[in-house]
Amino acid sequence: QVQLVESGGGLVQAGGSLKLSCGASGRTFNTYGMGWSRQAPGKEREFVAAISWNGATTFYADSVKGRFTISRDNVNNTVHVQMDSLQPDDTAVYYCAAGGRRWYSGEFDYWGQGTQVTVYS
């Protein structure tokens, strides 16, 4: 079992940056693929980024590739996503997630409560 708590969301002007963090509890944290998904108002939840258990491999949605960077720290049980060049279309609730057979495509087993990111123009 893994419990996830996100932080770092907020309000930012278009073109700006935010860094989201996710703290995880659970002794097997460093065996899971981890990632982020997001859900905008009126839309389905969509995959954003994922990272392998050792941080060696990353995956990104086309919409964020080149702007977002995912990373993890297995010593401190944290996962981060650095979001640059933010646009109003990035406005959503961002969820940290872990585990799952297809974690690399957003099919995670464990989910956090989410943190709101709002980008204004």
Side-chain angles (χ1 to χ4, degrees):
Q1 188 78 15
V2 176
Q3 294 185 328
L4 306 168
V5 179
E6 303 94 337
S7 62
L11 187 66
V12 63
Q13 190 171 19
S17 299
L18 277 178
K19 184 175 183 178
L20 304 183
S21 296
C22 174
S25 63
R27 299 175 61 183
T28 57
F29 168 82
N30 60 3
T31 66
Y32 289 115
M34 301 285 297
W36 295 85
S37 292
R38 67 187 182 185
Q39 187 167 19
K43 295 185 178 180
E44 294 186 355
R45 188 157 54 188
E46 64 171 352
F47 169 73
V48 173
I51 189 167
S52 61
W53 68 273
N54 61 356
T57 306
T58 56
F59 301 87
Y60 295 94
D62 288 343
S63 59
V64 307
K65 202 171 293 184
R67 300 188 299 121
F68 289 16
T69 304
I70 189 170
S71 61
R72 69 187 294 164
D73 178 353
N74 285 348
V75 173
N76 294 303
N77 283 11
T78 54
V79 179
H80 310 278
V81 60
Q82 175 68 41
M83 307 186 296
D84 299 319
S85 302
L86 284 163
Q87 299 301 317
D89 284 348
D90 295 315
T91 295
V93 177
Y94 283 72
Y95 297 90
C96 177
R101 293 182 62 186
R102 298 188 178 189
W103 55 268
Y104 49 84
S105 63
E107 296 182 27
F108 298 104
D109 282 345
Y110 305 105
W111 296 87
Q113 293 299 307
T115 185
Q116 176 70 47
V117 172
T118 303
V119 185
Y120 63 94
S121 57

Short mmCIF file of all heavy atoms in Angstrom, two decimals, residues 46-115:
data_model
loop_
_atom_site.label_atom_id
_atom_site.label_comp_id
_atom_site.label_asym_id
_atom_site.label_seq_id
_atom_site.Cartn_x
_atom_site.Cartn_y
_atom_site.Cartn_z
N GLU A 46 -6.28 12.74 -17.72
CA GLU A 46 -5.31 12.38 -18.76
C GLU A 46 -3.92 12.21 -18.17
O GLU A 46 -3.54 12.88 -17.21
CB GLU A 46 -5.28 13.44 -19.87
CG GLU A 46 -4.80 14.80 -19.44
CD GLU A 46 -4.58 15.75 -20.60
OE1 GLU A 46 -4.67 15.32 -21.76
OE2 GLU A 46 -4.31 16.94 -20.33
N PHE A 47 -3.18 11.32 -18.78
CA PHE A 47 -1.80 11.05 -18.38
C PHE A 47 -0.93 12.26 -18.69
O PHE A 47 -1.08 12.90 -19.73
CB PHE A 47 -1.31 9.83 -19.15
CG PHE A 47 0.16 9.58 -19.06
CD1 PHE A 47 0.71 9.09 -17.88
CD2 PHE A 47 1.00 9.84 -20.12
CE1 PHE A 47 2.07 8.86 -17.79
CE2 PHE A 47 2.34 9.60 -20.05
CZ PHE A 47 2.89 9.11 -18.88
N VAL A 48 0.00 12.54 -17.78
CA VAL A 48 0.93 13.66 -17.98
C VAL A 48 2.37 13.14 -18.11
O VAL A 48 3.04 13.42 -19.10
CB VAL A 48 0.85 14.66 -16.81
CG1 VAL A 48 1.95 15.72 -16.92
CG2 VAL A 48 -0.52 15.32 -16.76
N ALA A 49 2.83 12.40 -17.10
CA ALA A 49 4.22 11.94 -17.12
C ALA A 49 4.37 10.77 -16.17
O ALA A 49 3.60 10.61 -15.22
CB ALA A 49 5.17 13.07 -16.71
N ALA A 50 5.41 9.94 -16.41
CA ALA A 50 5.69 8.81 -15.54
C ALA A 50 7.19 8.57 -15.50
O ALA A 50 7.92 8.96 -16.43
CB ALA A 50 4.96 7.56 -16.03
N ILE A 51 7.63 7.91 -14.43
CA ILE A 51 9.05 7.64 -14.24
C ILE A 51 9.20 6.25 -13.64
O ILE A 51 8.42 5.84 -12.78
CB ILE A 51 9.68 8.73 -13.34
CG1 ILE A 51 11.20 8.61 -13.29
CG2 ILE A 51 9.06 8.74 -11.94
CD1 ILE A 51 11.88 9.84 -12.69
N SER A 52 10.20 5.53 -14.10
CA SER A 52 10.43 4.17 -13.64
C SER A 52 10.92 4.14 -12.20
O SER A 52 11.30 5.17 -11.63
CB SER A 52 11.44 3.47 -14.55
OG SER A 52 12.68 4.18 -14.52
N TRP A 53 10.96 2.96 -11.61
CA TRP A 53 11.29 2.82 -10.19
C TRP A 53 12.65 3.40 -9.84
O TRP A 53 12.85 3.93 -8.75
CB TRP A 53 11.24 1.34 -9.80
CG TRP A 53 12.33 0.52 -10.43
CD1 TRP A 53 12.29 -0.10 -11.64
CD2 TRP A 53 13.62 0.24 -9.88
NE1 TRP A 53 13.48 -0.74 -11.88
CE2 TRP A 53 14.32 -0.56 -10.83
CE3 TRP A 53 14.26 0.59 -8.69
CZ2 TRP A 53 15.60 -1.00 -10.60
CZ3 TRP A 53 15.55 0.14 -8.47
CH2 TRP A 53 16.21 -0.66 -9.43
N ASN A 54 13.59 3.34 -10.79
CA ASN A 54 14.93 3.83 -10.51
C ASN A 54 15.22 5.18 -11.16
O ASN A 54 16.35 5.67 -11.09
CB ASN A 54 15.98 2.81 -10.97
CG ASN A 54 15.90 2.56 -12.46
OD1 ASN A 54 15.03 3.09 -13.16
ND2 ASN A 54 16.80 1.74 -12.97
N GLY A 55 14.21 5.76 -11.77
CA GLY A 55 14.38 7.07 -12.39
C GLY A 55 15.07 7.05 -13.74
O GLY A 55 15.29 8.12 -14.33
N ALA A 56 15.38 5.88 -14.24
CA ALA A 56 16.16 5.79 -15.48
C ALA A 56 15.34 6.05 -16.73
O ALA A 56 15.89 6.46 -17.76
CB ALA A 56 16.81 4.41 -15.58
N THR A 57 14.04 5.82 -16.64
CA THR A 57 13.17 5.94 -17.81
C THR A 57 12.00 6.85 -17.50
O THR A 57 11.38 6.72 -16.44
CB THR A 57 12.65 4.57 -18.24
OG1 THR A 57 13.75 3.68 -18.42
CG2 THR A 57 11.88 4.67 -19.56
N THR A 58 11.71 7.74 -18.41
CA THR A 58 10.59 8.66 -18.24
C THR A 58 9.69 8.62 -19.47
O THR A 58 10.14 8.32 -20.59
CB THR A 58 11.06 10.09 -18.00
OG1 THR A 58 11.92 10.50 -19.08
CG2 THR A 58 11.83 10.21 -16.69
N PHE A 59 8.43 8.96 -19.25
CA PHE A 59 7.44 9.02 -20.32
C PHE A 59 6.65 10.32 -20.15
O PHE A 59 6.37 10.73 -19.03
CB PHE A 59 6.48 7.84 -20.25
CG PHE A 59 7.16 6.50 -20.34
CD1 PHE A 59 7.65 5.87 -19.21
CD2 PHE A 59 7.30 5.87 -21.56
CE1 PHE A 59 8.27 4.64 -19.28
CE2 PHE A 59 7.92 4.64 -21.65
CZ PHE A 59 8.42 4.03 -20.51
N TYR A 60 6.29 10.90 -21.28
CA TYR A 60 5.54 12.16 -21.24
C TYR A 60 4.41 12.13 -22.27
O TYR A 60 4.54 11.57 -23.36
CB TYR A 60 6.45 13.34 -21.56
CG TYR A 60 7.52 13.58 -20.54
CD1 TYR A 60 8.79 13.05 -20.71
CD2 TYR A 60 7.27 14.35 -19.40
CE1 TYR A 60 9.79 13.26 -19.77
CE2 TYR A 60 8.26 14.56 -18.46
CZ TYR A 60 9.52 14.02 -18.65
OH TYR A 60 10.49 14.23 -17.71
N ALA A 61 3.32 12.80 -21.91
CA ALA A 61 2.28 13.06 -22.90
C ALA A 61 2.83 14.05 -23.92
O ALA A 61 3.63 14.92 -23.59
CB ALA A 61 1.05 13.63 -22.22
N ASP A 62 2.38 13.94 -25.15
CA ASP A 62 2.86 14.85 -26.20
C ASP A 62 2.59 16.30 -25.84
O ASP A 62 3.38 17.19 -26.19
CB ASP A 62 2.18 14.51 -27.53
CG ASP A 62 2.70 13.22 -28.14
OD1 ASP A 62 3.78 12.75 -27.72
OD2 ASP A 62 2.02 12.67 -29.02
N SER A 63 1.50 16.55 -25.14
CA SER A 63 1.11 17.92 -24.83
C SER A 63 2.05 18.61 -23.85
O SER A 63 2.05 19.85 -23.76
CB SER A 63 -0.32 17.94 -24.26
OG SER A 63 -0.39 17.14 -23.08
N VAL A 64 2.86 17.85 -23.12
CA VAL A 64 3.76 18.46 -22.14
C VAL A 64 5.23 18.20 -22.45
O VAL A 64 6.11 18.76 -21.76
CB VAL A 64 3.44 17.98 -20.71
CG1 VAL A 64 1.97 18.18 -20.39
CG2 VAL A 64 3.84 16.52 -20.51
N LYS A 65 5.50 17.39 -23.44
CA LYS A 65 6.87 17.04 -23.77
C LYS A 65 7.68 18.30 -24.08
O LYS A 65 7.24 19.15 -24.84
CB LYS A 65 6.88 16.08 -24.96
CG LYS A 65 8.12 15.24 -25.09
CD LYS A 65 7.92 14.18 -26.17
CE LYS A 65 6.88 13.17 -25.78
NZ LYS A 65 6.74 12.08 -26.78
N GLY A 66 8.86 18.39 -23.47
CA GLY A 66 9.70 19.56 -23.66
C GLY A 66 9.43 20.69 -22.70
O GLY A 66 10.22 21.63 -22.61
N ARG A 67 8.31 20.62 -21.98
CA ARG A 67 7.96 21.66 -21.01
C ARG A 67 7.96 21.15 -19.58
O ARG A 67 8.26 21.89 -18.64
CB ARG A 67 6.58 22.24 -21.33
CG ARG A 67 6.47 22.85 -22.70
CD ARG A 67 5.13 23.57 -22.89
NE ARG A 67 3.99 22.68 -22.77
CZ ARG A 67 3.01 22.83 -21.88
NH1 ARG A 67 3.03 23.85 -21.02
NH2 ARG A 67 1.99 21.98 -21.85
N PHE A 68 7.61 19.88 -19.39
CA PHE A 68 7.54 19.28 -18.05
C PHE A 68 8.69 18.29 -17.88
O PHE A 68 9.08 17.61 -18.83
CB PHE A 68 6.23 18.52 -17.87
CG PHE A 68 5.00 19.39 -17.76
CD1 PHE A 68 5.00 20.73 -18.13
CD2 PHE A 68 3.81 18.86 -17.28
CE1 PHE A 68 3.86 21.51 -18.01
CE2 PHE A 68 2.66 19.62 -17.17
CZ PHE A 68 2.68 20.95 -17.55
N THR A 69 9.18 18.22 -16.65
CA THR A 69 10.24 17.26 -16.33
C THR A 69 9.89 16.54 -15.03
O THR A 69 9.72 17.19 -13.99
CB THR A 69 11.60 17.97 -16.16
OG1 THR A 69 11.90 18.70 -17.34
CG2 THR A 69 12.70 16.95 -15.90
N ILE A 70 9.81 15.22 -15.11
CA ILE A 70 9.51 14.43 -13.92
C ILE A 70 10.80 13.89 -13.32
O ILE A 70 11.76 13.58 -14.05
CB ILE A 70 8.53 13.28 -14.26
CG1 ILE A 70 8.04 12.58 -12.99
CG2 ILE A 70 9.17 12.29 -15.23
CD1 ILE A 70 6.90 11.60 -13.25
N SER A 71 10.83 13.80 -11.99
CA SER A 71 12.00 13.26 -11.31
C SER A 71 11.55 12.60 -10.02
O SER A 71 10.42 12.81 -9.57
CB SER A 71 13.01 14.38 -11.01
OG SER A 71 12.44 15.36 -10.17
N ARG A 72 12.43 11.81 -9.43
CA ARG A 72 12.09 11.17 -8.17
C ARG A 72 13.33 11.07 -7.28
O ARG A 72 14.47 11.06 -7.77
CB ARG A 72 11.49 9.79 -8.39
CG ARG A 72 12.43 8.75 -8.93
CD ARG A 72 11.66 7.46 -9.27
NE ARG A 72 11.10 6.82 -8.10
CZ ARG A 72 10.16 5.88 -8.14
NH1 ARG A 72 9.64 5.50 -9.31
NH2 ARG A 72 9.72 5.32 -7.02
N ASP A 73 13.06 10.97 -5.99
CA ASP A 73 14.11 10.84 -4.98
C ASP A 73 13.72 9.68 -4.09
O ASP A 73 12.86 9.82 -3.21
CB ASP A 73 14.21 12.15 -4.19
CG ASP A 73 15.24 12.09 -3.08
OD1 ASP A 73 15.80 11.01 -2.82
OD2 ASP A 73 15.49 13.14 -2.48
N ASN A 74 14.34 8.53 -4.31
CA ASN A 74 13.96 7.33 -3.57
C ASN A 74 14.48 7.35 -2.12
O ASN A 74 14.03 6.53 -1.31
CB ASN A 74 14.46 6.08 -4.28
CG ASN A 74 13.62 5.76 -5.50
OD1 ASN A 74 12.55 6.32 -5.70
ND2 ASN A 74 14.11 4.87 -6.34
N VAL A 75 15.38 8.22 -1.81
CA VAL A 75 15.84 8.34 -0.42
C VAL A 75 14.76 9.03 0.41
O VAL A 75 14.46 8.62 1.54
CB VAL A 75 17.16 9.11 -0.36
CG1 VAL A 75 17.54 9.40 1.09
CG2 VAL A 75 18.26 8.33 -1.06
N ASN A 76 14.19 10.08 -0.15
CA ASN A 76 13.17 10.86 0.57
C ASN A 76 11.74 10.50 0.16
O ASN A 76 10.80 11.17 0.58
CB ASN A 76 13.42 12.34 0.34
CG ASN A 76 14.72 12.79 0.96
OD1 ASN A 76 14.91 12.62 2.16
ND2 ASN A 76 15.61 13.36 0.17
N ASN A 77 11.57 9.48 -0.66
CA ASN A 77 10.24 9.03 -1.08
C ASN A 77 9.41 10.16 -1.69
O ASN A 77 8.26 10.40 -1.29
CB ASN A 77 9.48 8.42 0.10
CG ASN A 77 9.95 7.02 0.42
OD1 ASN A 77 10.98 6.57 -0.08
ND2 ASN A 77 9.22 6.33 1.28
N THR A 78 10.01 10.85 -2.63
CA THR A 78 9.29 11.94 -3.28
C THR A 78 9.38 11.85 -4.80
O THR A 78 10.35 11.29 -5.35
CB THR A 78 9.83 13.31 -2.84
OG1 THR A 78 11.25 13.34 -3.07
CG2 THR A 78 9.55 13.57 -1.37
N VAL A 79 8.37 12.38 -5.43
CA VAL A 79 8.33 12.52 -6.88
C VAL A 79 7.97 13.96 -7.20
O VAL A 79 7.16 14.57 -6.49
CB VAL A 79 7.28 11.59 -7.51
CG1 VAL A 79 7.23 11.76 -9.01
CG2 VAL A 79 7.58 10.15 -7.18
N HIS A 80 8.59 14.50 -8.22
CA HIS A 80 8.36 15.89 -8.58
C HIS A 80 8.04 16.00 -10.07
O HIS A 80 8.43 15.15 -10.86
CB HIS A 80 9.60 16.73 -8.30
CG HIS A 80 10.15 16.56 -6.93
ND1 HIS A 80 9.65 17.21 -5.83
CD2 HIS A 80 11.17 15.77 -6.48
CE1 HIS A 80 10.34 16.84 -4.77
NE2 HIS A 80 11.26 15.98 -5.12
N VAL A 81 7.36 17.08 -10.40
CA VAL A 81 7.24 17.43 -11.81
C VAL A 81 7.48 18.94 -11.93
O VAL A 81 6.76 19.73 -11.31
CB VAL A 81 5.90 16.99 -12.42
CG1 VAL A 81 4.71 17.62 -11.75
CG2 VAL A 81 5.90 17.26 -13.93
N GLN A 82 8.50 19.29 -12.65
CA GLN A 82 8.80 20.68 -12.93
C GLN A 82 8.04 21.07 -14.19
O GLN A 82 8.21 20.43 -15.24
CB GLN A 82 10.31 20.87 -13.15
CG GLN A 82 10.71 22.26 -13.58
CD GLN A 82 10.50 23.29 -12.50
OE1 GLN A 82 10.78 23.04 -11.33
NE2 GLN A 82 10.01 24.47 -12.87
N MET A 83 7.21 22.09 -14.07
CA MET A 83 6.35 22.50 -15.19
C MET A 83 6.75 23.90 -15.63
O MET A 83 6.62 24.86 -14.87
CB MET A 83 4.89 22.47 -14.76
CG MET A 83 4.46 21.13 -14.17
SD MET A 83 2.69 21.04 -13.82
CE MET A 83 2.52 22.30 -12.57
N ASP A 84 7.26 24.01 -16.84
CA ASP A 84 7.70 25.28 -17.40
C ASP A 84 6.82 25.67 -18.59
O ASP A 84 6.13 24.84 -19.14
CB ASP A 84 9.16 25.18 -17.84
CG ASP A 84 10.10 24.86 -16.70
OD1 ASP A 84 9.90 25.43 -15.61
OD2 ASP A 84 11.04 24.06 -16.89
N SER A 85 6.91 26.93 -18.95
CA SER A 85 6.14 27.44 -20.09
C SER A 85 4.67 27.06 -19.98
O SER A 85 4.05 26.60 -20.94
CB SER A 85 6.72 26.92 -21.41
OG SER A 85 8.07 27.28 -21.54
N LEU A 86 4.12 27.26 -18.80
CA LEU A 86 2.73 26.86 -18.57
C LEU A 86 1.77 27.70 -19.40
O LEU A 86 1.99 28.90 -19.64
CB LEU A 86 2.40 27.00 -17.08
CG LEU A 86 2.98 25.87 -16.21
CD1 LEU A 86 2.98 26.28 -14.75
CD2 LEU A 86 2.18 24.59 -16.41
N GLN A 87 0.70 27.06 -19.81
CA GLN A 87 -0.33 27.69 -20.63
C GLN A 87 -1.70 27.48 -19.97
O GLN A 87 -1.87 26.55 -19.18
CB GLN A 87 -0.32 27.08 -22.03
CG GLN A 87 0.98 27.29 -22.78
CD GLN A 87 1.33 28.77 -22.94
OE1 GLN A 87 0.48 29.60 -23.25
NE2 GLN A 87 2.61 29.09 -22.69
N PRO A 88 -2.68 28.31 -20.32
CA PRO A 88 -4.00 28.13 -19.72
C PRO A 88 -4.57 26.72 -19.91
O PRO A 88 -5.29 26.23 -19.03
CB PRO A 88 -4.84 29.17 -20.46
CG PRO A 88 -3.87 30.27 -20.77
CD PRO A 88 -2.59 29.56 -21.10
N ASP A 89 -4.21 26.04 -20.99
CA ASP A 89 -4.68 24.67 -21.20
C ASP A 89 -4.11 23.69 -20.19
O ASP A 89 -4.59 22.55 -20.09
CB ASP A 89 -4.33 24.19 -22.61
CG ASP A 89 -5.25 24.78 -23.67
OD1 ASP A 89 -6.28 25.38 -23.30
OD2 ASP A 89 -4.93 24.64 -24.87
N ASP A 90 -3.10 24.10 -19.45
CA ASP A 90 -2.53 23.24 -18.41
C ASP A 90 -3.31 23.32 -17.11
O ASP A 90 -3.02 22.59 -16.16
CB ASP A 90 -1.07 23.62 -18.14
CG ASP A 90 -0.17 23.36 -19.34
OD1 ASP A 90 -0.28 22.28 -19.95
OD2 ASP A 90 0.65 24.25 -19.65
N THR A 91 -4.29 24.20 -17.05
CA THR A 91 -5.11 24.33 -15.85
C THR A 91 -5.87 23.03 -15.59
O THR A 91 -6.56 22.51 -16.46
CB THR A 91 -6.11 25.48 -16.02
OG1 THR A 91 -5.39 26.71 -16.11
CG2 THR A 91 -7.08 25.53 -14.84
N ALA A 92 -5.68 22.49 -14.38
CA ALA A 92 -6.29 21.20 -14.03
C ALA A 92 -5.96 20.88 -12.59
O ALA A 92 -5.13 21.54 -11.96
CB ALA A 92 -5.76 20.09 -14.95
N VAL A 93 -6.62 19.85 -12.09
CA VAL A 93 -6.19 19.23 -10.85
C VAL A 93 -5.16 18.16 -11.22
O VAL A 93 -5.42 17.31 -12.07
CB VAL A 93 -7.36 18.58 -10.09
CG1 VAL A 93 -6.85 17.87 -8.84
CG2 VAL A 93 -8.39 19.64 -9.73
N TYR A 94 -4.00 18.24 -10.59
CA TYR A 94 -2.91 17.32 -10.89
C TYR A 94 -2.83 16.27 -9.79
O TYR A 94 -2.81 16.60 -8.59
CB TYR A 94 -1.59 18.08 -10.99
CG TYR A 94 -1.45 18.80 -12.30
CD1 TYR A 94 -2.22 19.94 -12.57
CD2 TYR A 94 -0.58 18.35 -13.30
CE1 TYR A 94 -2.12 20.61 -13.79
CE2 TYR A 94 -0.48 19.01 -14.51
CZ TYR A 94 -1.25 20.13 -14.74
OH TYR A 94 -1.15 20.79 -15.95
N TYR A 95 -2.77 15.02 -10.21
CA TYR A 95 -2.75 13.89 -9.30
C TYR A 95 -1.43 13.15 -9.39
O TYR A 95 -0.97 12.82 -10.49
CB TYR A 95 -3.86 12.91 -9.63
CG TYR A 95 -5.25 13.46 -9.48
CD1 TYR A 95 -5.90 14.08 -10.54
CD2 TYR A 95 -5.92 13.38 -8.26
CE1 TYR A 95 -7.18 14.59 -10.41
CE2 TYR A 95 -7.20 13.88 -8.11
CZ TYR A 95 -7.82 14.49 -9.19
OH TYR A 95 -9.08 15.00 -9.04
N CYS A 96 -0.86 12.87 -8.25
CA CYS A 96 0.29 11.98 -8.15
C CYS A 96 -0.24 10.56 -8.09
O CYS A 96 -1.28 10.30 -7.47
CB CYS A 96 1.08 12.32 -6.89
SG CYS A 96 2.50 11.25 -6.56
N ALA A 97 0.49 9.62 -8.70
CA ALA A 97 0.02 8.25 -8.73
C ALA A 97 1.19 7.29 -8.74
O ALA A 97 2.33 7.67 -9.07
CB ALA A 97 -0.86 8.03 -9.96
N ALA A 98 0.90 6.04 -8.39
CA ALA A 98 1.96 5.04 -8.26
C ALA A 98 1.45 3.65 -8.62
O ALA A 98 0.26 3.34 -8.48
CB ALA A 98 2.49 5.03 -6.83
N GLY A 99 2.39 2.80 -9.02
CA GLY A 99 2.09 1.39 -9.25
C GLY A 99 1.23 1.14 -10.47
O GLY A 99 0.92 2.02 -11.24
N GLY A 100 0.86 -0.13 -10.62
CA GLY A 100 0.04 -0.53 -11.76
C GLY A 100 0.88 -1.18 -12.84
O GLY A 100 2.04 -0.84 -13.05
N ARG A 101 0.28 -2.12 -13.54
CA ARG A 101 1.00 -2.84 -14.57
C ARG A 101 1.37 -1.95 -15.75
O ARG A 101 2.39 -2.17 -16.40
CB ARG A 101 0.17 -4.02 -15.06
CG ARG A 101 -0.04 -5.11 -14.01
CD ARG A 101 -0.84 -6.25 -14.57
NE ARG A 101 -0.14 -6.90 -15.68
CZ ARG A 101 -0.67 -7.86 -16.42
NH1 ARG A 101 -1.90 -8.27 -16.20
NH2 ARG A 101 0.02 -8.40 -17.40
N ARG A 102 0.55 -0.96 -16.01
CA ARG A 102 0.81 -0.05 -17.13
C ARG A 102 0.98 1.37 -16.62
O ARG A 102 0.41 2.32 -17.15
CB ARG A 102 -0.30 -0.15 -18.15
CG ARG A 102 -0.42 -1.53 -18.76
CD ARG A 102 -1.40 -1.56 -19.90
NE ARG A 102 -1.47 -2.89 -20.49
CZ ARG A 102 -2.12 -3.19 -21.62
NH1 ARG A 102 -2.75 -2.23 -22.27
NH2 ARG A 102 -2.14 -4.42 -22.07
N TRP A 103 1.81 1.51 -15.59
CA TRP A 103 2.06 2.82 -14.98
C TRP A 103 2.59 3.80 -16.02
O TRP A 103 2.36 5.00 -15.94
CB TRP A 103 3.04 2.67 -13.82
CG TRP A 103 4.31 2.01 -14.23
CD1 TRP A 103 4.59 0.67 -14.17
CD2 TRP A 103 5.47 2.63 -14.79
NE1 TRP A 103 5.84 0.43 -14.67
CE2 TRP A 103 6.41 1.60 -15.04
CE3 TRP A 103 5.81 3.95 -15.09
CZ2 TRP A 103 7.66 1.88 -15.59
CZ3 TRP A 103 7.06 4.21 -15.64
CH2 TRP A 103 7.96 3.18 -15.89
N TYR A 104 3.31 3.31 -17.00
CA TYR A 104 3.97 4.16 -18.00
C TYR A 104 2.97 4.85 -18.93
O TYR A 104 3.34 5.75 -19.68
CB TYR A 104 4.96 3.35 -18.82
CG TYR A 104 4.39 2.08 -19.36
CD1 TYR A 104 3.66 2.05 -20.54
CD2 TYR A 104 4.53 0.89 -18.65
CE1 TYR A 104 3.11 0.88 -21.02
CE2 TYR A 104 3.99 -0.29 -19.12
CZ TYR A 104 3.29 -0.29 -20.31
OH TYR A 104 2.74 -1.46 -20.78
N SER A 105 1.72 4.41 -18.89
CA SER A 105 0.69 5.05 -19.71
C SER A 105 -0.43 5.64 -18.87
O SER A 105 -1.47 6.00 -19.41
CB SER A 105 0.11 4.05 -20.70
OG SER A 105 -0.54 2.99 -20.02
N GLY A 106 -0.21 5.72 -17.57
CA GLY A 106 -1.18 6.36 -16.71
C GLY A 106 -2.14 5.43 -16.01
O GLY A 106 -3.05 5.90 -15.32
N GLU A 107 -1.97 4.14 -16.15
CA GLU A 107 -2.87 3.19 -15.47
C GLU A 107 -2.25 2.81 -14.13
O GLU A 107 -1.61 1.76 -13.98
CB GLU A 107 -3.10 1.97 -16.35
CG GLU A 107 -3.82 2.31 -17.65
CD GLU A 107 -4.09 1.09 -18.50
OE1 GLU A 107 -4.20 -0.02 -17.95
OE2 GLU A 107 -4.17 1.25 -19.73
N PHE A 108 -2.46 3.68 -13.16
CA PHE A 108 -1.85 3.53 -11.85
C PHE A 108 -2.79 2.85 -10.87
O PHE A 108 -4.00 2.87 -11.03
CB PHE A 108 -1.47 4.91 -11.29
CG PHE A 108 -0.45 5.64 -12.13
CD1 PHE A 108 -0.84 6.70 -12.94
CD2 PHE A 108 0.89 5.30 -12.07
CE1 PHE A 108 0.10 7.39 -13.69
CE2 PHE A 108 1.83 5.98 -12.82
CZ PHE A 108 1.43 7.03 -13.63
N ASP A 109 -2.21 2.27 -9.83
CA ASP A 109 -3.00 1.62 -8.78
C ASP A 109 -3.36 2.58 -7.64
O ASP A 109 -4.41 2.44 -7.02
CB ASP A 109 -2.23 0.43 -8.20
CG ASP A 109 -2.27 -0.79 -9.10
OD1 ASP A 109 -3.11 -0.83 -10.02
OD2 ASP A 109 -1.46 -1.71 -8.88
N TYR A 110 -2.46 3.48 -7.31
CA TYR A 110 -2.62 4.34 -6.14
C TYR A 110 -2.64 5.81 -6.58
O TYR A 110 -1.85 6.19 -7.45
CB TYR A 110 -1.50 4.11 -5.13
CG TYR A 110 -1.35 2.68 -4.71
CD1 TYR A 110 -0.31 1.89 -5.19
CD2 TYR A 110 -2.27 2.10 -3.84
CE1 TYR A 110 -0.17 0.57 -4.80
CE2 TYR A 110 -2.14 0.77 -3.44
CZ TYR A 110 -1.10 0.01 -3.93
OH TYR A 110 -0.98 -1.29 -3.55
N TRP A 111 -3.51 6.57 -5.92
CA TRP A 111 -3.69 7.97 -6.31
C TRP A 111 -3.68 8.88 -5.10
O TRP A 111 -4.17 8.51 -4.04
CB TRP A 111 -5.03 8.13 -7.04
CG TRP A 111 -5.09 7.40 -8.33
CD1 TRP A 111 -5.46 6.10 -8.51
CD2 TRP A 111 -4.76 7.91 -9.61
NE1 TRP A 111 -5.38 5.78 -9.85
CE2 TRP A 111 -4.94 6.87 -10.54
CE3 TRP A 111 -4.30 9.15 -10.08
CZ2 TRP A 111 -4.71 7.03 -11.91
CZ3 TRP A 111 -4.07 9.31 -11.44
CH2 TRP A 111 -4.27 8.25 -12.33
N GLY A 112 -3.13 10.08 -5.29
CA GLY A 112 -3.24 11.10 -4.28
C GLY A 112 -4.56 11.85 -4.41
O GLY A 112 -5.39 11.53 -5.27
N GLN A 113 -4.74 12.87 -3.57
CA GLN A 113 -5.99 13.63 -3.56
C GLN A 113 -6.01 14.73 -4.62
O GLN A 113 -7.08 15.25 -4.94
CB GLN A 113 -6.20 14.24 -2.18
CG GLN A 113 -6.45 13.20 -1.10
CD GLN A 113 -7.70 12.39 -1.37
OE1 GLN A 113 -8.78 12.94 -1.58
NE2 GLN A 113 -7.57 11.08 -1.41
N GLY A 114 -4.86 15.10 -5.12
CA GLY A 114 -4.80 16.11 -6.17
C GLY A 114 -4.46 17.49 -5.65
O GLY A 114 -4.71 17.82 -4.49
N THR A 115 -3.86 18.29 -6.52
CA THR A 115 -3.55 19.67 -6.21
C THR A 115 -3.91 20.52 -7.44
O THR A 115 -3.64 20.14 -8.58
CB THR A 115 -2.07 19.84 -5.82
OG1 THR A 115 -1.82 21.18 -5.41
CG2 THR A 115 -1.12 19.48 -6.96
#
